[in-house]
Amino acid sequence: MNPTLYPDISRPTLLIDPQRVQKNIQRMVEKANTAGVRLRPHFKTHQSAQAGEWFRPFGIQAITVSSLEMAAYFAGHGWKDILVAFPLNLRQINLVRRLSEFIRLGVLVECAGHVEALADAVERPVDVWIKIDSGSRRTGLAWNDSHAVLDLAGHVRQQPHLNLRGLLTHAGETYQSQNPDEVVQRFRRSNQRMNQVRQFLEQNGIDGLEVSVGDTPGCSLSDNFEGVDEIRPGNFVFYDAQMAQLGACREADIAAVVACPLVAFHPERQEAVIYGGAVHFSKDSVTENGIAAYGWAVLLNERGWSPRIPGGALVRLSQEHGIVRLPPEVFSSLTIGGLIGVIPAHVCLTVSALGVYRTLQGEWIETFVRASAPAGRG
Amino acid sequence: MNPTLYPDISRPTLLIDPQRVQKNIQRMVEKANTAGVRLRPHFKTHQSAQAGEWFRPFGIQAITVSSLEMAAYFAGHGWKDILVAFPLNLRQINLVRRLSEFIRLGVLVECAGHVEALADAVERPVDVWIKIDSGSRRTGLAWNDSHAVLDLAGHVRQQPHLNLRGLLTHAGETYQSQNPDEVVQRFRRSNQRMNQVRQFLEQNGIDGLEVSVGDTPGCSLSDNFEGVDEIRPGNFVFYDAQMAQLGACREADIAAVVACPLVAFHPERQEAVIYGGAVHFSKDSVTENGIAAYGWAVLLNERGWSPRIPGGALVRLSQEHGIVRLPPEVFSSLTIGGLIGVIPAHVCLTVSALGVYRTLQGEWIETFVRASAPAGRG
């Protein structure tokens, strides 16, 4: 690495390549347009009002978030159509009411308790999506329990301010696929299941419902969006080692890398110690040859960063230390006090852990994590 | 749970039991006093100036931190003797100089590059500790490479402002022990190795060195501190599921739990969905019967929280969702919109992820994470 590169970086710092971000957004926008589905990108990955602006030139107006406070943050930055893709948190029902007064707000329900609390709280229309479990077994009504879905849909339709918008799923099982074909198959199976539920509801008098699906692997790899009205991928804006390993992107599509100071070398065991630990990367991993890697090592350069160093991996994480495994020949090009790049295993968690990032051009991007009230405060 | 408990908590919130904290501190202080060793607690666990005050009545004046910016934070809150237990980061050498001008600063070195950069930078005395790898293979000079240690010690002694204080290790291998006996054995072995190095240096004209060791399992379980001058445990202030599983504490010593809103129930598979995910807990785990658990479930009550719900475990984490496995009979006492408690697997990472906590009595405790400039800024 050029030793004069980034003289101002002294701590683990997430760098973003805006050109790659632009291409990633454009690719997904074009795919959605071709398929005739609405792209409602999930903003939980970049978590930033500034980064959100990168989507507007592409005509994006509707977004997804993962918490009500994240909805409030983006509403405060001018987004008018926000879906909170998380089970309704009854302890924040006042925030639901407030948001419904000035934006088009979408929320998820999956039980009568959600519907009743919502109906009691709001005085303006709210879009209601029924959360369906189409195979991931995280949460939602089981796709094959059609009668339960029908009952809940009927319950929603009886409430004055609740606009039953559709059925929503997150086919999280695509992340556990072994290869891209399996991702596509699982995505397709999930979409078919959603349409079976929709059809059953139509046959029983509940019609006009949309189907919303969303996961970056499926939306990146599939070209078949039959029966889908809306997609909600998020990770695709940056991508990461998990997505590249799964084949959901090329390594060259990854737009995020953490620049980490090199603090100690152990070439005898092919390891370098970096300032960059679990509090910076979080602790998600990709598994390679049975070994967990928390990230992939690259060399930083004037244009961004190199392809992955062969075998270069962040193999251990303490609170602040990281241990990077490197081939012996790389050590001669590195110096203690220099920087090395690490592509995170799971960039959404790294963004949240670091709370701020900067572009290759040096612009600092603030996020919700830092801008909002401390997590944990009511 | 009493439904009126914590009406103001609407998001994942770390609760601290100050009585247990007091007992945990007192126990370690008494142990150190009995053994005649200096307790220099690691503040990376609580990361808070307010929590730091809890140590002062016990006579604690010297502390350990894991980064230079954390040193600056605690220096700014009146701590005058701070050891940065992390390999010297040459990119923050200006901060080393600044800190050395107004506190007693200790830093680690493990190569000539560290020593030379330090000697060039400082104009006031700095305590220098040589980092020894006594078995954890994280970083430091190998304990059995005595000549390398001797060379480096001689190098430090030649520099005008560098005060060679001693030899330092972190016997991180205790965390991987299978039982308390093994922790004690590994801790003892590490201490013996440190003293072999010290003895070799003494025989070669470098005398008067201290030995500093530190890890919560070893310091909690061992009563033998022979050859040790200073201990630096940190986690013991709160403890967590990892420490209880290892036998380093009793479950009743754990002083930290995350209160999480219950957002959906799936009693048919004995699971509840909580607002509380990887961005709140981070993603460290304990392994139980071959299954990773990110935390242990408890019931919150007026006095704090119950013993662990039998088998209750946080078994899956998405970005914001957590899946808690619960025995069937517990569901009848829970309501959607209620709270459940989760003892974190690794509390240091949870503190860092949440950035703020509150006592059972309702006092909010700010941390370094929130008070400092955003991570990643130089």
Side-chain angles (χ1 to χ4, degrees):
Chain A
M1 192 192 99
N2 177 345
T4 64
L5 199 60
Y6 302 121
D8 58 328
I9 290 183
S10 62
R11 297 159 62 180
T13 302
L14 182 60
L15 300 176
I16 298 295
D17 182 337
Q19 283 196 324
R20 292 188 180 185
V21 169
Q22 289 292 313
K23 283 186 196 165
N24 291 340
I25 298 174
Q26 185 167 354
R27 197 182 310 111
M28 196 61 81
V29 166
E30 288 172 357
K31 184 173 238 188
N33 289 344
T34 302
V37 301
R38 181 191 319 119
L39 173 59
R40 182 192 285 278
H42 207 314
F43 276 15
K44 72 174 182 172
T45 301
H46 62 74
Q47 297 195 44
S48 165
Q50 284 163 271
E53 294 301 316
W54 300 339
F55 289 80
R56 294 202 198 258
F58 293 99
I60 301 295
Q61 295 187 315
I63 66 169
T64 310
V65 298
S66 51
S67 68
L68 282 158
E69 53 271 27
M70 206 185 291
Y73 167 79
F74 284 108
H77 286 86
W79 293 91
K80 299 286 185 201
D81 183 348
I82 304 179
L83 167 60
V84 183
F86 190 83
L88 189 69
N89 179 6
L90 301 194
R91 290 185 165 250
Q92 295 182 302
I93 201 75
N94 289 338
L95 185 49
V96 171
R97 183 174 58 233
R98 283 272 170 258
L99 287 166
S100 72
E101 287 164 0
F102 72 102
I103 64 165
R104 179 166 195 171
L105 179 69
V107 298
L108 308 192
V109 299
E110 63 175 88
C111 62
H114 287 154
V115 176
E116 283 152 21
L118 194 58
D120 282 351
V122 299
E123 291 165 355
R124 305 267 297 176
V126 171
D127 284 343
V128 175
W129 298 82
I130 296 179
K131 179 70 191 292
I132 305 294
D133 174 2
S134 62
S136 76
R137 293 175 66 85
R138 185 169 69 181
T139 195
L141 289 170
W143 67 276
N144 52 4
D145 192 359
S146 314
H147 288 280
V149 182
L150 180 63
D151 284 351
L152 195 65
H155 195 30
V156 174
R157 283 247 161 125
Q158 286 162 13
Q159 313 304 322
H161 298 298
L162 306 192
N163 169 34
L164 182 62
R165 186 88 184 264
L167 307 173
L168 180 145
T169 191
H170 178 258
E173 66 273 26
T174 60
Y175 288 83
Q176 273 73 52
S177 302
Q178 297 303 309
N179 55 59
D181 284 348
E182 195 172 32
V183 169
V184 171
Q185 286 162 18
R186 289 181 177 190
F187 184 71
R188 178 101 187 98
R189 183 184 65 186
S190 169
N191 296 343
Q192 287 169 339
R193 288 172 173 176
M194 293 299 283
N195 277 279
Q196 285 181 40
V197 184
R198 172 157 60 180
Q199 202 170 12
F200 180 82
L201 265 61
E202 274 173 10
Q203 289 161 356
N204 288 275
I206 308 267
D207 54 9
L209 297 192
E210 295 184 19
V211 164
S212 175
V213 307
D215 61 277
T216 281
C219 294
S220 296
L221 289 168
S222 180
D223 288 317
N224 183 339
F225 294 90
E226 197 181 327
V228 171
D229 299 285
E230 175 177 282
I231 59 174
R232 309 182 320 277
N235 181 289
F236 73 96
V237 63
F238 295 152
Y239 285 124
D240 54 27
Q242 286 182 346
M243 289 301 102
Q245 195 194 40
L246 189 54
C249 68
R250 298 170 307 150
E251 190 197 313
D253 299 326
I254 298 172
V257 74
V258 184
C260 295
L262 289 156
V263 295
F265 288 162
H266 297 279
E268 74 286 0
R269 52 179 189 256
Q270 303 181 32
E271 289 179 352
V273 184
I274 60 171
Y275 182 15
V279 297
H280 307 106
F281 285 94
S282 187
K283 225 173 161 179
D284 232 336
S285 58
V286 292
T287 305
E288 302 183 315
N289 304 319
I291 297 167
Y294 303 101
W296 289 344
V298 299
L299 297 174
L300 302 175
N301 59 42
E302 282 73 9
R303 297 167 309 286
W305 55 89
S306 73
R308 181 183 180 187
I309 298 168
L314 179 58
V315 292
R316 281 169 71 194
L317 285 178
S318 306
Q319 184 164 342
E320 319 263 353
H321 300 72
I323 306 291
V324 179
R325 181 162 298 155
L326 293 170
E329 64 274 16
V330 174
F331 282 90
S332 58
S333 70
L334 302 175
T335 52
I336 288 178
L339 296 172
I340 196 165
V342 179
I343 294 171
H346 186 176
V347 72
C348 310
L349 300 190
T350 303
V351 165
S352 187
L354 288 170
V356 67
Y357 39 95
R358 61 185 247 180
T359 66
L360 289 178
Q361 290 72 38
E363 183 192 4
W364 282 99
I365 311 286
E366 300 283 345
T367 71
F368 158 71
V369 182
R370 296 283 165 178
S372 67
R377 292 224 175 168
Chain B
M1 193 191 97
N2 177 346
T4 64
L5 199 60
Y6 301 122
D8 59 329
I9 290 183
S10 62
R11 297 158 64 179
T13 302
L14 182 60
L15 301 176
I16 298 294
D17 182 334
Q19 282 195 324
R20 292 188 181 186
V21 169
Q22 290 292 312
K23 283 186 197 165
N24 291 340
I25 298 174
Q26 184 167 355
R27 196 181 311 112
M28 196 61 81
V29 166
E30 287 171 358
K31 184 173 238 191
N33 289 345
T34 302
V37 301
R38 182 191 318 120
L39 173 60
R40 183 191 284 277
H42 207 314
F43 276 16
K44 71 173 183 173
T45 301
H46 63 74
Q47 297 195 43
S48 166
Q50 285 163 271
E53 295 301 317
W54 300 339
F55 289 80
R56 294 200 198 258
F58 293 99
I60 300 295
Q61 294 186 317
I63 65 170
T64 310
V65 298
S66 52
S67 68
L68 282 157
E69 51 272 27
M70 206 186 290
Y73 167 78
F74 284 109
H77 286 87
W79 293 90
K80 299 286 185 200
D81 184 348
I82 304 179
L83 167 61
V84 183
F86 190 83
L88 189 68
N89 179 7
L90 301 195
R91 291 187 164 248
Q92 295 183 300
I93 201 76
N94 288 338
L95 184 50
V96 172
R97 184 176 56 237
R98 284 273 171 257
L99 287 167
S100 71
E101 287 164 1
F102 72 103
I103 64 166
R104 179 168 196 171
L105 179 70
V107 299
L108 308 192
V109 299
E110 64 173 90
C111 63
H114 287 155
V115 177
E116 283 152 22
L118 192 59
D120 282 352
V122 299
E123 292 167 354
R124 303 270 293 177
V126 171
D127 284 343
V128 175
W129 298 81
I130 296 179
K131 178 70 192 287
I132 305 294
D133 175 2
S134 62
S136 76
R137 293 174 66 86
R138 185 167 71 179
T139 196
L141 290 170
W143 67 276
N144 53 3
D145 192 357
S146 314
H147 288 280
V149 181
L150 180 64
D151 285 351
L152 195 64
H155 195 29
V156 174
R157 283 246 162 126
Q158 287 162 15
Q159 314 303 323
H161 298 298
L162 306 192
N163 169 35
L164 182 61
R165 186 89 184 263
L167 307 173
L168 180 145
T169 191
H170 178 257
E173 66 273 24
T174 59
Y175 288 83
Q176 274 74 52
S177 301
Q178 298 303 310
N179 55 59
D181 283 348
E182 194 172 32
V183 169
V184 172
Q185 285 162 17
R186 290 181 176 190
F187 184 71
R188 178 98 186 101
R189 183 183 65 184
S190 169
N191 296 344
Q192 287 168 339
R193 288 173 172 175
M194 294 299 283
N195 278 280
Q196 285 180 41
V197 185
R198 172 157 60 180
Q199 201 169 11
F200 179 82
L201 266 59
E202 274 172 11
Q203 289 160 355
N204 287 276
I206 309 267
D207 53 9
L209 298 191
E210 296 185 18
V211 164
S212 174
V213 308
D215 62 276
T216 282
C219 294
S220 297
L221 288 169
S222 181
D223 288 316
N224 183 340
F225 295 89
E226 196 182 328
V228 171
D229 299 286
E230 175 177 281
I231 59 173
R232 310 182 319 278
N235 181 289
F236 73 96
V237 62
F238 295 153
Y239 286 122
D240 54 28
Q242 286 183 347
M243 289 302 100
Q245 195 194 41
L246 189 54
C249 68
R250 299 171 305 151
E251 191 198 313
D253 299 327
I254 299 173
V257 75
V258 184
C260 295
L262 289 157
V263 295
F265 287 162
H266 297 279
E268 74 287 359
R269 53 178 188 258
Q270 301 181 33
E271 289 178 353
V273 184
I274 60 170
Y275 182 15
V279 297
H280 308 104
F281 286 94
S282 188
K283 224 171 161 178
D284 233 336
S285 59
V286 292
T287 304
E288 300 183 316
N289 304 318
I291 296 168
Y294 303 100
W296 289 344
V298 299
L299 297 174
L300 301 176
N301 59 42
E302 282 73 9
R303 297 166 311 286
W305 55 88
S306 73
R308 181 184 180 186
I309 298 168
L314 179 58
V315 291
R316 283 168 68 195
L317 284 177
S318 306
Q319 183 162 342
E320 318 264 354
H321 301 71
I323 306 291
V324 179
R325 181 160 300 155
L326 293 170
E329 63 274 15
V330 173
F331 281 90
S332 59
S333 70
L334 302 175
T335 52
I336 289 180
L339 297 171
I340 196 165
V342 179
I343 293 171
H346 186 175
V347 72
C348 309
L349 301 190
T350 303
V351 166
S352 187
L354 288 171
V356 66
Y357 38 95
R358 61 185 248 179
T359 66
L360 289 179
Q361 290 71 39
E363 184 192 1
W364 282 99
I365 311 286
E366 300 284 344
T367 71
F368 158 71
V369 183
R370 298 281 164 180
S372 68
R377 293 223 173 168

